[in-house]
Amino acid sequence: MSAITITEAAQDYLAGLLEKQNTPGIGIRIFITQPGTQYAETCIAYCKPGEQKPEDTSFGLKDFTAWIDAISEPFLEDAIVDYAQDRMGGQLTIKAPNAKVPMISEDSPISERINYYLQTEINPGLASHGGMVSLVEVVEDGVAVLRFGGGCQGCGQVDLTLKDGVERTLIERIPDLKGVRDVTDHSNRENAYY
């Protein structure tokens, strides 16, 4: 069972909403956008069969299945989804006390800190262009070697994006990082986003 609690009242309310979708096997997916940052938002979305991601954790509730996003899961520790009746009818509430808590510390290895900021701050911004960045290695002089994938590959803007956004963010967050380098060959423009 996941670290998240979905109360009976919330389950009944969600089951009612799901029933109205007229989609056999539909469930919910719980995820956090920008987890571990002050912008973290906990979201519940409809999840039709097959829409969940392979790395999601599923847990079966009495009327439906809830899927938990793998990256968000540690941030959903102690989260409670509840449904509270009030004069206006009622509302679903999500309390996720750890959603904004960074899962790394100053003492975490530099590669873990880089990966953390790539996942929580940089990739969510690049996703709108179909791009993503991953860490290849940290070389001895404190330089992170990054690989750009998706729409960033072969994009003429990549030097700008890389030097400006990604490098600035990472150096701001990780003072012992000296800079970033790109391993991707940007001559491949097949999937480029302009």
Side-chain angles (χ1 to χ4, degrees), residues 118 122 126 133 146 148 161-171 180:
L118 289 177
I122 291 167
L126 292 174
V133 187
L146 303 176
F148 281 70
T161 311
L162 177 74
K163 278 283 158 277
D164 272 16
V166 177
E167 185 167 48
R168 201 176 51 229
T169 303
L170 287 176
I171 289 174
V180 297

PDB file of all heavy atoms in Angstrom, residues 118 122 126 133 146 148 161-171 180:
ATOM      1  N   LEU A 118      17.014  18.508 -12.152  1.00  0.00           N
ATOM      2  CA  LEU A 118      16.583  18.227 -13.525  1.00  0.00           C
ATOM      3  C   LEU A 118      15.134  17.736 -13.505  1.00  0.00           C
ATOM      4  O   LEU A 118      14.296  18.192 -14.282  1.00  0.00           O
ATOM      5  CB  LEU A 118      17.483  17.168 -14.189  1.00  0.00           C
ATOM      6  CG  LEU A 118      18.908  17.608 -14.556  1.00  0.00           C
ATOM      7  CD1 LEU A 118      19.684  16.433 -15.136  1.00  0.00           C
ATOM      8  CD2 LEU A 118      18.909  18.786 -15.529  1.00  0.00           C
ATOM      9  N   ILE A 122      13.797  21.553 -14.111  1.00  0.00           N
ATOM     10  CA  ILE A 122      14.202  21.816 -15.493  1.00  0.00           C
ATOM     11  C   ILE A 122      13.345  21.039 -16.485  1.00  0.00           C
ATOM     12  O   ILE A 122      12.764  21.611 -17.403  1.00  0.00           O
ATOM     13  CB  ILE A 122      15.708  21.535 -15.654  1.00  0.00           C
ATOM     14  CG1 ILE A 122      16.465  22.627 -14.863  1.00  0.00           C
ATOM     15  CG2 ILE A 122      16.113  21.526 -17.124  1.00  0.00           C
ATOM     16  CD1 ILE A 122      17.920  22.347 -14.636  1.00  0.00           C
ATOM     17  N   LEU A 126      10.898  22.005 -19.882  1.00  0.00           N
ATOM     18  CA  LEU A 126      11.255  21.591 -21.243  1.00  0.00           C
ATOM     19  C   LEU A 126      10.197  20.694 -21.853  1.00  0.00           C
ATOM     20  O   LEU A 126      10.110  20.542 -23.063  1.00  0.00           O
ATOM     21  CB  LEU A 126      12.591  20.833 -21.228  1.00  0.00           C
ATOM     22  CG  LEU A 126      13.825  21.672 -20.889  1.00  0.00           C
ATOM     23  CD1 LEU A 126      15.038  20.774 -20.758  1.00  0.00           C
ATOM     24  CD2 LEU A 126      14.067  22.731 -21.949  1.00  0.00           C
ATOM     25  N   VAL A 133      16.171  16.651 -20.326  1.00  0.00           N
ATOM     26  CA  VAL A 133      17.610  16.614 -20.119  1.00  0.00           C
ATOM     27  C   VAL A 133      17.913  15.513 -19.132  1.00  0.00           C
ATOM     28  O   VAL A 133      17.191  15.342 -18.156  1.00  0.00           O
ATOM     29  CB  VAL A 133      18.111  17.939 -19.487  1.00  0.00           C
ATOM     30  CG1 VAL A 133      19.627  17.968 -19.428  1.00  0.00           C
ATOM     31  CG2 VAL A 133      17.607  19.129 -20.264  1.00  0.00           C
ATOM     32  N   LEU A 146      25.516  16.725 -19.721  1.00  0.00           N
ATOM     33  CA  LEU A 146      24.086  16.475 -19.858  1.00  0.00           C
ATOM     34  C   LEU A 146      23.747  16.001 -21.261  1.00  0.00           C
ATOM     35  O   LEU A 146      24.413  16.350 -22.223  1.00  0.00           O
ATOM     36  CB  LEU A 146      23.301  17.768 -19.581  1.00  0.00           C
ATOM     37  CG  LEU A 146      23.542  18.428 -18.224  1.00  0.00           C
ATOM     38  CD1 LEU A 146      22.768  19.737 -18.143  1.00  0.00           C
ATOM     39  CD2 LEU A 146      23.146  17.506 -17.085  1.00  0.00           C
ATOM     40  N   PHE A 148      20.643  16.076 -23.976  1.00  0.00           N
ATOM     41  CA  PHE A 148      19.327  16.618 -24.308  1.00  0.00           C
ATOM     42  C   PHE A 148      18.629  15.628 -25.218  1.00  0.00           C
ATOM     43  O   PHE A 148      19.224  15.136 -26.165  1.00  0.00           O
ATOM     44  CB  PHE A 148      19.480  17.956 -25.037  1.00  0.00           C
ATOM     45  CG  PHE A 148      19.763  19.087 -24.090  1.00  0.00           C
ATOM     46  CD1 PHE A 148      20.986  19.172 -23.436  1.00  0.00           C
ATOM     47  CD2 PHE A 148      18.803  20.050 -23.848  1.00  0.00           C
ATOM     48  CE1 PHE A 148      21.240  20.205 -22.551  1.00  0.00           C
ATOM     49  CE2 PHE A 148      19.049  21.093 -22.962  1.00  0.00           C
ATOM     50  CZ  PHE A 148      20.277  21.170 -22.311  1.00  0.00           C
ATOM     51  N   THR A 161      19.409  27.599 -24.598  1.00  0.00           N
ATOM     52  CA  THR A 161      18.675  26.985 -23.490  1.00  0.00           C
ATOM     53  C   THR A 161      19.654  26.396 -22.497  1.00  0.00           C
ATOM     54  O   THR A 161      19.548  26.580 -21.297  1.00  0.00           O
ATOM     55  CB  THR A 161      17.791  25.844 -24.028  1.00  0.00           C
ATOM     56  OG1 THR A 161      17.071  26.326 -25.141  1.00  0.00           O
ATOM     57  CG2 THR A 161      16.832  25.358 -22.963  1.00  0.00           C
ATOM     58  N   LEU A 162      20.626  25.660 -23.038  1.00  0.00           N
ATOM     59  CA  LEU A 162      21.580  24.955 -22.196  1.00  0.00           C
ATOM     60  C   LEU A 162      22.372  25.946 -21.365  1.00  0.00           C
ATOM     61  O   LEU A 162      22.384  25.890 -20.153  1.00  0.00           O
ATOM     62  CB  LEU A 162      22.530  24.154 -23.086  1.00  0.00           C
ATOM     63  CG  LEU A 162      23.642  23.424 -22.352  1.00  0.00           C
ATOM     64  CD1 LEU A 162      23.064  22.221 -21.634  1.00  0.00           C
ATOM     65  CD2 LEU A 162      24.717  22.967 -23.315  1.00  0.00           C
ATOM     66  N   LYS A 163      22.999  26.893 -22.064  1.00  0.00           N
ATOM     67  CA  LYS A 163      23.863  27.837 -21.353  1.00  0.00           C
ATOM     68  C   LYS A 163      23.047  28.685 -20.387  1.00  0.00           C
ATOM     69  O   LYS A 163      23.408  28.869 -19.251  1.00  0.00           O
ATOM     70  CB  LYS A 163      24.590  28.751 -22.354  1.00  0.00           C
ATOM     71  CG  LYS A 163      25.823  28.106 -22.937  1.00  0.00           C
ATOM     72  CD  LYS A 163      26.974  28.131 -21.931  1.00  0.00           C
ATOM     73  CE  LYS A 163      28.026  27.090 -22.201  1.00  0.00           C
ATOM     74  NZ  LYS A 163      27.712  25.761 -21.658  1.00  0.00           N
ATOM     75  N   ASP A 164      21.924  29.184 -20.914  1.00  0.00           N
ATOM     76  CA  ASP A 164      21.153  30.112 -20.090  1.00  0.00           C
ATOM     77  C   ASP A 164      20.430  29.404 -18.979  1.00  0.00           C
ATOM     78  O   ASP A 164      20.844  29.406 -17.839  1.00  0.00           O
ATOM     79  CB  ASP A 164      20.114  30.826 -20.963  1.00  0.00           C
ATOM     80  CG  ASP A 164      20.683  32.063 -21.589  1.00  0.00           C
ATOM     81  OD1 ASP A 164      21.931  32.164 -21.582  1.00  0.00           O
ATOM     82  OD2 ASP A 164      19.920  32.901 -22.067  1.00  0.00           O
ATOM     83  N   GLY A 165      19.319  28.784 -19.363  1.00  0.00           N
ATOM     84  CA  GLY A 165      18.409  28.263 -18.371  1.00  0.00           C
ATOM     85  C   GLY A 165      18.987  27.185 -17.484  1.00  0.00           C
ATOM     86  O   GLY A 165      19.093  27.342 -16.272  1.00  0.00           O
ATOM     87  N   VAL A 166      19.376  26.088 -18.127  1.00  0.00           N
ATOM     88  CA  VAL A 166      19.760  24.908 -17.364  1.00  0.00           C
ATOM     89  C   VAL A 166      20.988  25.182 -16.510  1.00  0.00           C
ATOM     90  O   VAL A 166      20.999  24.920 -15.305  1.00  0.00           O
ATOM     91  CB  VAL A 166      20.002  23.722 -18.326  1.00  0.00           C
ATOM     92  CG1 VAL A 166      20.468  22.505 -17.570  1.00  0.00           C
ATOM     93  CG2 VAL A 166      18.731  23.425 -19.113  1.00  0.00           C
ATOM     94  N   GLU A 167      22.002  25.761 -17.126  1.00  0.00           N
ATOM     95  CA  GLU A 167      23.235  25.999 -16.386  1.00  0.00           C
ATOM     96  C   GLU A 167      23.000  26.973 -15.233  1.00  0.00           C
ATOM     97  O   GLU A 167      23.429  26.744 -14.106  1.00  0.00           O
ATOM     98  CB  GLU A 167      24.327  26.539 -17.319  1.00  0.00           C
ATOM     99  CG  GLU A 167      25.666  26.692 -16.624  1.00  0.00           C
ATOM    100  CD  GLU A 167      26.800  26.919 -17.616  1.00  0.00           C
ATOM    101  OE1 GLU A 167      26.659  27.781 -18.510  1.00  0.00           O
ATOM    102  OE2 GLU A 167      27.818  26.223 -17.504  1.00  0.00           O
ATOM    103  N   ARG A 168      22.273  28.044 -15.518  1.00  0.00           N
ATOM    104  CA  ARG A 168      22.035  29.040 -14.476  1.00  0.00           C
ATOM    105  C   ARG A 168      21.279  28.432 -13.291  1.00  0.00           C
ATOM    106  O   ARG A 168      21.659  28.605 -12.135  1.00  0.00           O
ATOM    107  CB  ARG A 168      21.261  30.228 -15.045  1.00  0.00           C
ATOM    108  CG  ARG A 168      21.432  31.487 -14.196  1.00  0.00           C
ATOM    109  CD  ARG A 168      20.738  32.704 -14.802  1.00  0.00           C
ATOM    110  NE  ARG A 168      19.358  32.398 -15.133  1.00  0.00           N
ATOM    111  CZ  ARG A 168      18.798  32.683 -16.311  1.00  0.00           C
ATOM    112  NH1 ARG A 168      19.499  33.256 -17.258  1.00  0.00           N
ATOM    113  NH2 ARG A 168      17.536  32.386 -16.535  1.00  0.00           N
ATOM    114  N   THR A 169      20.220  27.683 -13.606  1.00  0.00           N
ATOM    115  CA  THR A 169      19.432  27.065 -12.535  1.00  0.00           C
ATOM    116  C   THR A 169      20.287  26.134 -11.702  1.00  0.00           C
ATOM    117  O   THR A 169      20.277  26.190 -10.473  1.00  0.00           O
ATOM    118  CB  THR A 169      18.250  26.271 -13.136  1.00  0.00           C
ATOM    119  OG1 THR A 169      17.477  27.166 -13.930  1.00  0.00           O
ATOM    120  CG2 THR A 169      17.367  25.691 -12.048  1.00  0.00           C
ATOM    121  N   LEU A 170      21.039  25.270 -12.384  1.00  0.00           N
ATOM    122  CA  LEU A 170      21.820  24.277 -11.633  1.00  0.00           C
ATOM    123  C   LEU A 170      22.895  24.934 -10.773  1.00  0.00           C
ATOM    124  O   LEU A 170      23.094  24.545  -9.627  1.00  0.00           O
ATOM    125  CB  LEU A 170      22.459  23.259 -12.592  1.00  0.00           C
ATOM    126  CG  LEU A 170      21.494  22.246 -13.220  1.00  0.00           C
ATOM    127  CD1 LEU A 170      22.226  21.369 -14.212  1.00  0.00           C
ATOM    128  CD2 LEU A 170      20.802  21.390 -12.163  1.00  0.00           C
ATOM    129  N   ILE A 171      23.578  25.934 -11.320  1.00  0.00           N
ATOM    130  CA  ILE A 171      24.657  26.567 -10.550  1.00  0.00           C
ATOM    131  C   ILE A 171      24.080  27.342  -9.357  1.00  0.00           C
ATOM    132  O   ILE A 171      24.658  27.356  -8.281  1.00  0.00           O
ATOM    133  CB  ILE A 171      25.538  27.441 -11.465  1.00  0.00           C
ATOM    134  CG1 ILE A 171      26.361  26.516 -12.366  1.00  0.00           C
ATOM    135  CG2 ILE A 171      26.455  28.359 -10.655  1.00  0.00           C
ATOM    136  CD1 ILE A 171      27.181  27.215 -13.425  1.00  0.00           C
ATOM    137  N   VAL A 180      28.014  23.278 -17.122  1.00  0.00           N
ATOM    138  CA  VAL A 180      27.431  22.117 -17.790  1.00  0.00           C
ATOM    139  C   VAL A 180      27.959  22.018 -19.212  1.00  0.00           C
ATOM    140  O   VAL A 180      28.350  23.007 -19.823  1.00  0.00           O
ATOM    141  CB  VAL A 180      25.885  22.184 -17.820  1.00  0.00           C
ATOM    142  CG1 VAL A 180      25.313  22.165 -16.422  1.00  0.00           C
ATOM    143  CG2 VAL A 180      25.401  23.390 -18.579  1.00  0.00           C
TER     144      VAL A 180
END
